Amino acid sequence: MTAAIVSALGILTKPLGEGSVQDTESSQQGALVAALRANRVLLLEQLQGEGSLEEVRRLREEVMTGTRWFSGHTEDITWDFVQECLLLLLTLARHLSAELELFQQSSTSSAAKLRTPEMAPPLPPDILSVSQQKTLGAALQFVVSLGLCPYLASGVGVPLSHRSAFGAMVAKLVYGGAESAASRRLLTTTNVLLRIAQLSSLATLVFTRHLGDVMAALCQLGHQPHRTEGCGTDGVKVQELSAEERRSCREELKSLLAKVYQPVVIKELLVLQGGPKQSGPAGHSSGSSSRLAPAWLRRLCGQLLSERLMEPKGVQAVVRAILEGGKGGESDWRKCDGVARIMVACPQQSASADSYYRQVCPQILHLLHFRDKLTAHQFQRVATRAVLSMVQEKPSFAQQYLLTPLLAPLRRCASASRDGHSQVAVEEWELTRCVEDVYKIWVVGNSPSSPLLKNLEEVLPVVFTLFCFTKQNVSHLRAPCQEILLWYLSHAETSTALSALRQLSGLREQENQVGADFHFSPGSDGGAQLCCRDSCSDEDNVLYEKLSGEQWRLECLMQLLVELKDSDLPGDFLLDLLQELTSWAFAVEEEEDGQELHVSAMTLLQVEQQVLGHAARRGRTLALLQVLAVMVETVDHTVLLRKNTQVVGFILSLLQRACVGVNEASGAIPGNPVESQTLSMGMGLVAALLSGPQLTPEDYSSMGRLLPPLETLSQHHPEVFIQELASNLRAVIATHGAYRPEDLTATTAAAGASKDSETLPETSSVPQKKKSAAAEADVSHTPLDDKTPRRTHTTHSEFSEGSAMGRSPSIGDPSSLSKTVSDWLLEACDPDVPTRAYALRALTRMVQKRDPEAVQVQEKVLTLFLENLEHEDSFIYLSAIQGLASLADSYPERILERLLKDFQHGPSLPTSNKDQSLESRLKMGEVLMRASRAMGELAPHLGRPLVVVFLRGTRDSDQSVRASSLSNLGELCQKLDYALGPLAQELCSCLTALIKTEAEAEVRRAAVHVIALLLRGLSDKSTQVLGDVLLDLYRALKWVVRSDPDEVAVLHAQLALEELDDVMRRFIFPQQKLEKKIVVLP
């Protein structure tokens, strides 16, 4: 029966024949009218004559009898055709409804019990085949094109003329019909479509392609302004709908909008409201007035869209409707901003702004929590833009409905109490979601404003505490917390940021901090949760935890300042702390002046208050000094003092502290070398700034702040030299460089040198040469490599002071490049430590470059290196070790034999100190280890004698030599590869014997470490090279794990077992390689 009804629809919608299509438009319209008439007549004839369609004819007549709108034959061919289509569609719907009811009844009968679990469930009768769906789709298209769209008012829906060229022709054909019955025909078509859409299978066909047309028809029928029955344009009486019919259409529209997928509904409403202009086909142009929706329809669509937006998940539906199908291009970003503006603007149809934002804002926050990769990015963009727009345009509503709920978990961390029974005050998922939301809106949105900064400032201590916790653990919250803190410090005003830094460093009263009874603990998903702190009765442990926690917070804060490389905030914070330190110095002086008041004149309460006040001030001073110490140690000077103004501020703080205690009555307290050196350094910095190449008026203006302290020093300092220097500097600054003494810089450098020379006898009994060597630590440790960047930012005062103290020439000095090997050999015997060390490194470079002169005198160079190997200064013997290693790498056959002999039996030089034989042997072991590392692929060829000597060294009487031999053995054996095979048994016996019988833990550790290095170096070759001894090594390692009392040896054994486990896994389960092998048969 279903197939018969569909075949009848197929007869009615049979396509036009090719012969009937002509070139002109009038012939196309005529051919279409003729085809519609012919198909309708053919259907009626077959219904009367065909026996297979008799049941269809009977059911059609029943449907026709129950309808009031069917008018039989009319003069309008198109409407007659539409009526036949509607009758057949109703017939199909009635038949499918009856069949579906019988199917549902039979599914509960005894027949259902006969089905086994293996059987597929039977298909319901309303399931249509693909060809049947295609036929129904064609029929629905004819119904909508001929019976619905032509009767829509101008501007309602998308006109047929804008859809296709065929649609434009159909529109002209139907528009010539009767105007009097337009509303009735539109109502009839719409009601039939809604009736057949009650079946799910037919509803899919109707609404997937014609939802917008049905919605447009219902809007016009139910909401178009009512007009009384009158005459149309041709004087024909127009039949208007009754109030009941209009009310029914409004109810149908409301029901339809509630049933259909909301993003689709919103798309169609946007189109009805007047979407983007759509151009018609070529040759058919229409004015903008034909595309413009009428005012009543725009108001209706706006009201319906607002209702959709305010419903649960309405914001999500609006976002999906506008953004679905986007590919992340520039247009999608603009769409996101447009959607955000739509949500921020309160619609006129809303009862009140408060109710609107109360419903919409939670949905906006919910957009931030989507995990779907395809939509999460766009949703977050919309939510971020909406929040930022609301903060700017509606700050009160944003504070109440957006920022307060969003930051609630962080605020609860600061206000948590032990009233509840749960140990967890803030769950992990809450804290994670809150931090991620703050990161998305504040950092990713990157639109700083006063409300955002103020709200973030309130929870900043909690975020910083959480950041300090994540720095001690592995957590995915570390990066967002760090970015949030850096964003605030970068965008807040300088005074506010400095106040926040003071609070985070503990220098200001703590506000909005995590409660003392709570702490963060690791969560199960890599986040953090706020838990109650366990009570501890041990006061020492509590004090230790408090002090270590404060120290760790300071280190974390300094790490944040290090990240602010392009900001002036670290330097401003340093100057602020120095200024406070200076004010403390003034306060201490005034306090000492006021000590003359006798205690007997005070009451007991006043004495207690004074003592407590002194203790509190000293505690704050200690905290300030601690922050300064950590800051100077952690943050590089290039970050702290980026600009000249900051350098001037730093100098100003130094000079102000130097002025403390200097007045007309009494001078500075003599005999304090630290203060004198500090003042000299400040003077030198001022002179270095003034000797700059180009000083701008702004630079001199910033230096004007130095004039008062310089004047004080020039008048009241007890040393005449400092007075003159301060007076000269003050004159240069005041005249903006017009007056400049010729010896200003040299005098400043001499002041620093004289201060050093004065303090040397008082502070240390070390000779002047040793002090010079210590000062030259930087130069001695600088590698002699052309690629090493040389320090070029050396002030003139530093150069003068270094020259006065006999500093050795720098690496880039032209005089050092022109020296010969003989010159370097002579300087290598110089008693001055820096000069000797520099010469040894220069000889090492010549050996590495295979200088011809160095090759000729290599024996002398070798003897020189061996002599200096016994020197007590580390600068000397480390340079000698490096030189011997370079010689062994360049000439291994001749040098290694000599080095091995000295390692075995001690130094062989006649001048060697036999009492230091052990120390020399250990230094020689270091040389051999470096030579072993440098052998590379030559290790199998050159390493056999070294292995023998190292194995003998494992039996030495001294434990240090045994440990050194084992260390060198491990470094060498991992490079021998297959050459180690003949020595495997001997090596294994030596190592296992040492592991089980050695009394010294240090030697056992070295033996176990040799096995780990062997397995790591051989890797997959271990099963081939060490195949015979692998089991013995495994048993030795297991013995260490079970029986060795030394924890370090056990740790080394566990690492070696892990290496062995990886090797055996790769051996037993080799990696599968998909490769093709071509074998050529003989």
Side-chain angles (χ1 to χ4, degrees):
M1 182 63 179
T2 303
I5 298 175
V6 174
S7 65
L9 284 172
I11 295 173
L12 196 61
T13 59
K14 184 171 62 175
L16 300 174
E18 294 182 0
S20 60
V21 179
Q22 304 296 329
D23 294 333
T24 63
E25 185 177 341
S26 59
S27 63
Q28 291 180 355
Q29 293 180 357
L32 177 60
V33 172
L36 296 178
R37 182 188 297 109
N39 289 349
R40 179 174 177 275
V41 171
L42 179 61
L43 173 65
L44 295 177
E45 291 177 354
Q46 293 193 6
L47 288 176
Q48 295 296 331
E50 291 288 340
S52 59
L53 299 178
E54 181 179 356
E55 189 66 22
V56 177
R57 179 179 58 79
R58 182 187 63 78
L59 195 57
R60 172 181 174 275
E61 291 177 354
E62 292 179 3
V63 172
M64 187 190 308
T65 305
T67 58
R68 299 179 181 179
W69 46 266
F70 188 76
S71 56
H73 182 71
T74 63
E75 296 181 357
D76 191 348
I77 301 300
T78 57
W79 181 244
D80 291 340
F81 180 81
V82 170
Q83 287 187 114
E84 292 297 334
C85 289
L86 294 177
L87 283 177
L88 289 178
L89 290 174
L90 288 175
T91 301
L92 178 62
R94 173 177 291 189
H95 169 69
L96 291 179
S97 299
E99 292 293 327
L100 190 60
E101 184 177 357
L102 292 175
F103 174 78
Q104 292 174 351
Q105 293 176 357
S106 63
S107 62
T108 59
S109 63
S110 58
K113 299 180 181 180
L114 300 178
R115 292 198 299 269
T116 61
E118 293 79 9
M119 296 177 60
L123 291 176
D126 61 340
I127 299 298
L128 304 176
S129 65
V130 176
S131 60
Q132 291 173 345
Q133 291 180 11
K134 185 177 180 181
T135 303
L136 282 177
L140 290 172
Q141 189 173 1
F142 271 111
V143 168
V144 172
S145 300
L146 300 177
L148 191 147
C149 291
Y151 304 113
L152 293 175
S154 176
V156 179
V158 181
L160 284 175
S161 58
H162 292 170
R163 302 186 186 186
S164 63
F166 179 76
M169 185 265 292
V170 172
K172 290 184 178 180
L173 174 66
V174 182
Y175 286 155
E179 182 185 355
S180 59
S183 298
R184 286 292 165 188
R185 291 180 178 180
L186 181 62
L187 178 63
T188 299
T189 304
T190 305
N191 286 336
V192 172
L193 291 177
L194 292 175
R195 185 174 176 183
I196 66 175
Q198 294 177 357
L199 285 174
S200 59
S201 58
L202 299 182
T204 303
L205 296 174
V206 173
F207 292 142
T208 51
R209 299 188 62 183
H210 309 293
L211 176 63
D213 296 325
V214 175
M215 288 173 57
L218 289 174
C219 290
Q220 177 174 327
L221 294 171
H223 296 274
Q224 189 178 23
H226 182 69
R227 59 178 181 176
T228 58
E229 294 186 358
C231 296
T233 56
D234 298 333
V236 183
K237 187 176 181 180
V238 178
Q239 301 177 2
E240 290 293 339
L241 303 180
S242 63
E244 182 65 23
E245 290 172 336
R246 291 170 61 86
R247 185 191 64 78
S248 176
C249 290
R250 289 195 291 269
E251 293 294 331
E252 290 291 345
L253 176 62
K254 185 176 180 180
S255 175
L256 177 63
L257 296 181
K259 291 178 182 178
V260 182
Y261 182 54
Q262 290 303 299
V264 177
V265 171
I266 293 172
K267 282 183 181 180
E268 297 297 340
L269 287 175
L270 290 174
V271 174
L272 289 177
Q273 192 178 27
K277 295 182 179 181
Q278 302 177 11
S279 58
H284 300 273
S285 62
S286 57
S288 60
S289 59
S290 63
R291 304 191 193 104
L292 185 63
W296 65 267
L297 182 59
R298 292 199 301 272
R299 289 194 299 271
L300 174 62
C301 292
Q303 180 181 355
L304 295 175
L305 286 170
S306 300
E307 293 175 357
R308 306 276 81 72
L309 182 63
M310 297 177 66
E311 287 182 354
K313 298 185 179 180
V315 172
Q316 177 182 344
V318 172
V319 176
R320 288 186 182 275
I322 299 177
L323 299 182
E324 271 186 348
K327 298 181 179 179
E330 182 180 357
S331 60
D332 287 346
W333 291 108
R334 294 178 178 177
K335 287 181 181 178
C336 292
D337 296 340
V339 175
R341 288 194 297 270
I342 290 173
M343 290 187 292
V344 170
C346 179
Q348 298 178 354
Q349 295 82 5
S350 177
S352 66
D354 184 80
S355 62
Y356 171 75
Y357 290 118
R358 186 172 58 251
Q359 295 178 5
V360 170
C361 288
Q363 300 185 47
I364 293 176
L365 294 179
H366 183 66
L367 294 179
L368 295 168
H369 307 146
F370 276 85
R371 299 296 181 184
D372 183 13
K373 294 182 179 179
L374 297 177
T375 58
H377 190 62
Q378 292 180 332
F379 280 13
Q380 292 170 10
R381 169 72 175 179
V382 172
T384 301
R385 295 306 307 166
V387 172
L388 296 177
S389 300
M390 273 200 67
V391 168
Q392 294 177 356
E393 301 175 12
K394 309 286 183 181
S396 60
F397 291 115
Q399 179 66 40
Q400 183 177 1
Y401 297 118
L402 286 176
L403 299 181
T404 299
L406 190 147
L407 298 174
L410 290 175
R411 288 195 171 101
R412 289 213 316 273
C413 293
S415 60
S417 62
R418 286 182 176 267
D419 297 340
H421 298 287
S422 175
Q423 290 292 324
V424 180
V426 181
E427 297 288 346
E428 178 187 6
W429 67 268
E430 291 182 276
L431 208 53
T432 300
R433 174 178 291 184
C434 179
V435 172
E436 290 178 351
D437 291 349
V438 172
Y439 174 78
K440 294 169 186 174
I441 293 175
W442 271 263
V443 180
V444 178
N446 196 21
S447 180
S449 60
S450 179
L452 289 178
L453 292 170
K454 183 178 179 181
N455 279 271
L456 186 57
E457 181 183 357
E458 295 175 359
V459 298
L460 198 69
V462 179
V463 177
F464 179 68
T465 304
L466 181 59
F467 170 70
C468 296
F469 168 76
T470 58
K471 292 288 287 184
Q472 293 177 316
N473 302 273
V474 178
S475 176
H476 58 80
L477 296 179
R478 181 189 303 172
C481 286
Q482 177 175 332
E483 293 298 328
I484 292 169
L485 293 168
L486 293 177
W487 184 89
Y488 176 81
L489 296 176
S490 301
H491 293 86
E493 295 183 0
T494 303
S495 59
T496 308
L498 290 177
S499 177
L501 287 175
R502 282 181 165 275
Q503 182 178 1
L504 298 180
S505 60
L507 298 178
R508 206 187 73 183
E509 184 180 356
Q510 302 294 327
E511 298 177 358
N512 300 323
Q513 282 282 4
V514 178
D517 296 334
F518 295 88
H519 70 106
F520 289 109
S521 62
S524 57
D525 296 330
Q529 57 187 1
L530 188 70
C531 301
C532 296
R533 189 186 299 272
D534 297 333
S535 59
C536 181
S537 58
D538 192 350
E539 296 181 357
D540 292 339
N541 290 339
V542 174
L543 181 61
Y544 173 75
E545 290 182 3
K546 180 181 179 182
L547 295 178
S548 61
E550 292 176 355
Q551 182 68 21
W552 178 248
R553 287 172 64 88
L554 276 180
E555 293 179 5
C556 293
L557 183 61
M558 296 308 133
Q559 292 176 14
L560 288 177
L561 294 180
V562 170
E563 296 296 329
L564 295 171
K565 299 178 181 178
D566 300 328
S567 174
D568 297 335
L569 185 61
D572 295 338
F573 186 48
L574 174 66
L575 298 180
D576 188 47
L577 297 180
L578 292 175
Q579 187 64 33
E580 183 177 357
L581 185 62
T582 304
S583 64
W584 279 112
F586 281 110
V588 170
E589 180 187 3
E590 295 176 358
E591 179 182 342
E592 291 177 353
D593 294 339
Q595 290 291 337
E596 298 176 359
L597 183 62
H598 201 271
V599 179
S600 61
M602 303 182 192
T603 63
L604 185 60
L605 180 60
Q606 291 176 342
V607 173
E608 182 181 3
Q609 290 177 351
Q610 183 179 11
V611 172
L612 293 178
H614 291 342
R617 285 193 293 271
R618 291 188 181 278
R620 289 193 293 269
T621 305
L622 289 175
L624 176 62
L625 292 174
Q626 183 186 17
V627 175
L628 277 172
V630 176
M631 190 173 187
V632 173
E633 290 178 1
T634 307
V635 187
D636 191 71
H637 69 279
T638 57
V639 179
L640 290 177
L641 303 175
R642 297 178 61 246
K643 301 187 303 184
N644 284 342
T645 55
Q646 293 178 332
V647 177
V648 171
F650 174 70
I651 298 172
L652 178 62
S653 64
L654 293 180
L655 298 181
Q656 287 176 344
R657 283 200 302 278
C659 292
V660 175
V662 176
N663 49 48
E664 296 180 358
S666 60
I669 301 175
N672 192 338
V674 177
E675 292 184 1
S676 300
Q677 291 179 8
T678 303
L679 184 58
S680 300
M681 183 185 68
M683 297 290 188
L685 285 176
V686 176
L689 287 176
L690 292 175
S691 61
Q694 293 180 352
L695 289 178
T696 62
E698 290 78 8
D699 295 333
Y700 283 110
S701 176
S702 64
M703 292 183 191
R705 296 180 295 167
L706 303 178
L707 294 178
L710 287 175
E711 182 178 4
T712 301
L713 293 174
S714 65
Q715 295 177 359
H716 305 297
H717 198 277
E719 298 183 13
V720 179
F721 185 80
I722 294 296
Q723 291 182 6
E724 294 179 357
L725 185 57
S727 177
N728 290 336
L729 294 175
R730 181 174 176 273
V732 175
I733 296 174
T735 60
H736 286 201
Y739 167 75
R740 185 184 297 272
E742 297 180 357
D743 57 343
L744 177 64
T745 307
T747 305
T748 307
S754 64
K755 292 299 176 184
D756 289 342
S757 61
E758 291 174 5
T759 56
L760 278 175
E762 301 176 2
T763 57
S764 176
S765 60
V766 182
Q768 180 73 19
K769 190 174 296 184
K770 291 292 184 180
K771 285 292 182 180
S772 177
E776 290 297 323
D778 277 345
V779 181
S780 300
H781 282 289
T782 304
L784 299 175
D785 191 355
D786 291 339
K787 299 180 181 179
T788 303
R790 295 185 296 272
R791 189 176 65 179
T792 57
H793 302 285
T794 305
T795 62
H796 193 267
S797 60
E798 291 176 344
F799 176 78
S800 301
E801 183 180 357
S803 301
M805 298 176 66
R807 178 173 299 180
S808 60
S810 62
I811 298 173
D813 193 354
S815 61
S816 66
L817 298 178
S818 59
K819 291 184 179 180
T820 62
V821 176
S822 302
D823 298 333
W824 290 122
L825 289 174
L826 290 175
E827 290 194 7
C829 301
D830 194 284
D832 184 54
V833 172
T835 304
R836 180 184 291 195
Y838 183 79
L840 291 175
R841 291 178 179 269
L843 289 172
T844 302
R845 279 184 59 193
M846 300 181 76
V847 169
Q848 292 173 348
K849 294 181 178 181
R850 298 181 183 272
D851 186 270
E853 295 183 18
V855 173
Q856 294 177 0
V857 294
Q858 61 175 282
E859 290 297 333
K860 293 183 180 181
V861 174
L862 174 61
T863 303
L864 183 64
F865 283 147
L866 290 175
E867 290 176 351
N868 284 278
L869 190 65
E870 302 178 17
H871 199 278
E872 60 181 3
D873 197 298
S874 60
F875 301 151
I876 303 299
Y877 71 72
L878 286 177
S879 301
I881 287 175
Q882 184 178 357
L884 288 173
S886 300
L887 275 175
D889 183 36
S890 302
Y891 315 104
E893 292 85 357
R894 286 174 286 179
I895 304 300
L896 279 178
E897 183 179 356
R898 176 70 176 274
L899 298 181
L900 290 174
K901 181 180 178 182
D902 287 1
F903 178 72
Q904 260 187 304
H905 308 291
S908 58
L909 294 176
T911 59
S912 299
N913 188 357
K914 302 301 180 181
D915 296 335
Q916 298 181 354
S917 176
L918 176 60
E919 183 179 353
S920 300
R921 292 179 66 189
L922 294 178
K923 294 176 182 178
M924 190 60 67
E926 174 71 17
V927 174
L928 292 174
M929 184 184 68
R930 296 191 182 190
S932 300
R933 290 177 179 174
M935 284 183 182
E937 297 180 355
L938 292 177
H941 174 65
L942 302 174
R944 185 66 176 266
L946 274 73
V947 173
V948 175
V949 172
F950 292 153
L951 286 175
R952 292 176 182 172
T954 59
R955 299 196 301 270
D956 195 272
S957 58
D958 190 274
Q959 64 176 14
S960 300
V961 177
R962 296 200 298 271
S964 177
S965 300
L966 287 171
S967 178
N968 294 341
L969 192 63
E971 291 289 342
L972 179 62
C973 288
Q974 64 177 342
K975 299 181 180 297
L976 292 179
D977 288 342
Y978 293 103
L980 189 63
L983 303 173
Q985 288 288 351
E986 185 177 357
L987 184 62
C988 176
S989 301
C990 176
L991 294 177
T992 53
L994 288 174
I995 287 174
K996 295 182 180 180
T997 61
E998 176 62 45
E1000 298 294 337
E1002 182 181 1
V1003 180
R1004 295 200 305 274
R1005 296 174 192 172
V1008 176
H1009 188 57
V1010 170
I1011 300 178
L1013 291 177
L1014 276 175
L1015 297 174
R1016 191 176 305 148
L1018 294 175
S1019 186
D1020 294 338
K1021 304 174 187 176
S1022 300
T1023 55
Q1024 304 175 27
V1025 179
L1026 304 176
D1028 297 336
V1029 299
L1030 207 55
L1031 180 59
D1032 296 333
L1033 295 177
Y1034 171 74
R1035 289 172 178 171
L1037 293 175
K1038 294 297 286 184
W1039 186 89
V1040 173
V1041 173
R1042 290 193 303 265
S1043 306
D1044 199 298
D1046 185 56
E1047 295 181 357
V1048 179
V1050 172
L1051 177 60
H1052 284 310
Q1054 290 174 346
L1055 295 176
L1057 287 173
E1058 291 180 4
E1059 295 286 346
L1060 182 58
D1061 181 69
D1062 293 340
V1063 170
M1064 297 311 298
R1065 285 181 182 274
R1066 292 193 297 268
F1067 177 73
I1068 299 174
F1069 308 105
Q1071 184 179 2
Q1072 299 294 329
K1073 295 182 180 179
L1074 300 177
E1075 57 183 9
K1076 294 182 179 180
K1077 292 184 178 180
I1078 300 177
V1079 180
V1080 180
L1081 297 176

